[in-house]
């Protein structure tokens, strides 16, 4: 037996697992999106309706456009704040030293937590009666005392974005630290010798060389933000109203709350198209 055949045999179990857990569900749900399938009415796959589920989303469901607006608002703000926070932390932590080593070790802790646990924790800490965050903010800003953050559409979105930034900023901090460390220091020194200030060195020398890493970070964080689900379920449940309902949670709600799996599959593939 040659090495190629042996490799295929050894990889076969992994291929089968991926096929049954990823490929089959994707193909099955794509086929379902062209049918009527409402488990509240029937357990059988309904009649073929073509693109009607998709056209209904874009033309007959006003909630869909509300969810689209919420999704892109969340992604735009979340990605921007995460990358800016990560870049700032990467610059501060780039220098070696005992203090920086401790901070680098501690800063990864938020990323080690599951998004579901983060959502639950932040929900408790924002509780106006006993939450640590709510009490601290109320002590600093008395006019914010007894504010129910998760009952306000704007504040709930802000809280959700804050939790997601807190979770993902460490990951991208280390990514950008690697990018900054790969920049040749000679280019920065040459700019300083020519009289450039630290800001001009960063803007005209460091940032252009960091651009490829930043581009990858922005793409990855955009994908992660579009797929956010766990923290929404445990923190806001998409509310109040639809103010924190993104496409991923909307598809879940339609499928597992309203049992309209045909329409939910169509919404999921709209999200898939955006991700691609």
């Amino acid at each position: 037996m040659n090495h190629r055949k042996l490799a295929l045999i050894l990889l076969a179990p992994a291929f089968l697992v991926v096929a049954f857990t990823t490929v089959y569900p994707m193909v099955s749900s794509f086929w379902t999106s062209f049918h009527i399938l409402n488990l509240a009415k029937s357990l059988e796959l309904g009649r073929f309706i073509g693109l009607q589920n998709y056209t209904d989303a874009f033309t007959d469901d006003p909630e869909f456009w509300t969810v689209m607006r919420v999704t892109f608002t969340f992604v735009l703000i979340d990605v921007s704040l995460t990358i800016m926070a990560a870049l700032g932390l990467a610059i501060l932590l780039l220098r070696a030293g005992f203090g920086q080593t401790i901070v680098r070790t501690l800063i990864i802790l938020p990323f080690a937590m599951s998004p579901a646990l983060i959502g639950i924790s932040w929900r408790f800490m924002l509780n106006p009666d006993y939450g640590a965050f709510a009490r601290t903010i109320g002590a600093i800003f008395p006019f914010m005392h007894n504010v129910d953050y998760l009952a306000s559409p704007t504040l709930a979105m802000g809280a959700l974005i804050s939790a997601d930034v807190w979770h993902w900023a460490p990951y991208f901090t280390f990514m950008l630290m690697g990018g900054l460390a790969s920049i040749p220091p000679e280019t920065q020194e040459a700019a300083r010798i020519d009289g450039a200030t630290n800001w001009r060195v960063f803007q005209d020398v460091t940032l252009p060389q960091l651009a490829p890493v930043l581009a990858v970070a922005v793409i990855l964080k955009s994908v992660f933000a579009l797929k956010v689900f766990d923290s929404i379920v445990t923190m806001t449940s998409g509310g109040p109203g639809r103010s924190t309902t993104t496409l991923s949670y909307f598809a879940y709600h339609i499928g597992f709350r309203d049992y309209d799996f045909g329409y939910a599959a169509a919404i999921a593939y709209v999200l898939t198209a955006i991700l691609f």
Side-chain angles (χ1 to χ4, degrees):
M1 182 181 296
N2 60 37
H3 292 293
R4 185 179 181 84
K5 288 183 179 179
L6 178 61
L8 291 175
I9 292 173
L10 294 175
L11 287 172
F15 284 143
L16 289 174
V17 170
V18 171
F20 281 108
T21 61
T22 304
V23 178
Y24 172 74
M26 287 185 66
V27 174
S28 176
S29 60
F30 186 64
W31 181 242
T32 300
S33 70
F34 297 111
H35 293 75
I36 293 175
L37 178 58
N38 193 322
L39 297 186
K41 299 177 181 178
S42 173
L43 298 179
E44 301 294 328
L45 187 66
R47 62 185 176 86
F48 181 84
I49 57 174
L51 296 174
Q52 184 177 329
N53 283 323
Y54 294 92
T55 56
D56 286 349
F58 285 96
T59 61
D60 294 334
D61 188 356
E63 282 195 335
F64 173 78
W65 291 107
T66 299
V67 170
M68 287 285 282
R69 177 183 57 79
V70 170
T71 300
F72 284 105
T73 299
F74 174 83
V75 170
L76 179 63
I77 300 175
D78 183 46
V79 172
S80 301
L81 292 180
T82 301
I83 299 302
M84 286 192 293
L87 181 58
L89 287 170
I91 293 171
L92 291 174
L93 297 175
L94 189 61
R95 296 178 180 177
F98 180 72
Q100 283 84 353
T101 302
I102 294 176
V103 174
R104 289 180 191 182
T105 304
L106 294 176
I107 201 173
I108 200 65
L109 292 179
F111 183 68
M113 297 175 65
S114 72
L117 178 59
I118 290 173
I120 294 171
S121 301
W122 279 63
R123 186 181 185 92
F124 274 103
M125 288 188 287
L126 288 171
N127 187 288
D129 296 324
Y130 50 77
F133 287 172
R135 288 293 184 90
T136 302
I137 296 171
I140 299 173
F141 305 103
F143 64 91
M144 297 290 287
H145 186 64
N146 288 331
V147 172
D148 191 346
Y149 294 90
L150 301 183
S152 164
T154 303
L155 294 178
M157 175 60 81
L160 185 64
I161 291 172
S162 300
D164 199 62
V165 170
W166 184 77
H167 175 62
W168 282 105
Y171 175 84
F172 290 101
T173 295
F174 284 99
M175 178 185 289
L176 295 178
M177 283 176 64
L180 288 169
S182 67
I183 295 174
E186 296 82 7
T187 58
Q188 298 169 327
E189 290 300 325
R192 291 191 177 93
I193 291 172
D194 289 339
T197 61
N198 287 334
W199 171 249
R200 295 296 297 182
V201 171
F202 174 76
Q203 183 181 11
D204 297 334
V205 179
T206 305
L207 202 56
Q209 296 183 82
L210 190 64
V213 180
L214 279 172
V216 173
V218 169
I219 291 171
L220 284 175
K221 186 63 188 85
S222 298
V223 171
F224 297 150
L226 281 167
K227 297 193 304 178
V228 67
F229 176 77
D230 310 56
S231 55
I232 296 177
V233 173
T234 56
M235 189 173 176
T236 66
S237 298
R242 293 290 190 191
S243 60
T244 58
T245 299
T246 61
L247 274 173
S248 58
Y249 184 81
F250 189 51
Y252 157 79
H253 192 277
I254 292 170
F256 292 93
R257 298 290 180 88
D258 300 338
Y259 302 110
D260 190 350
F261 279 84
Y263 187 47
I267 296 297
Y269 268 93
V270 171
L271 175 59
T272 303
I274 295 171
L275 286 171
F276 274 114

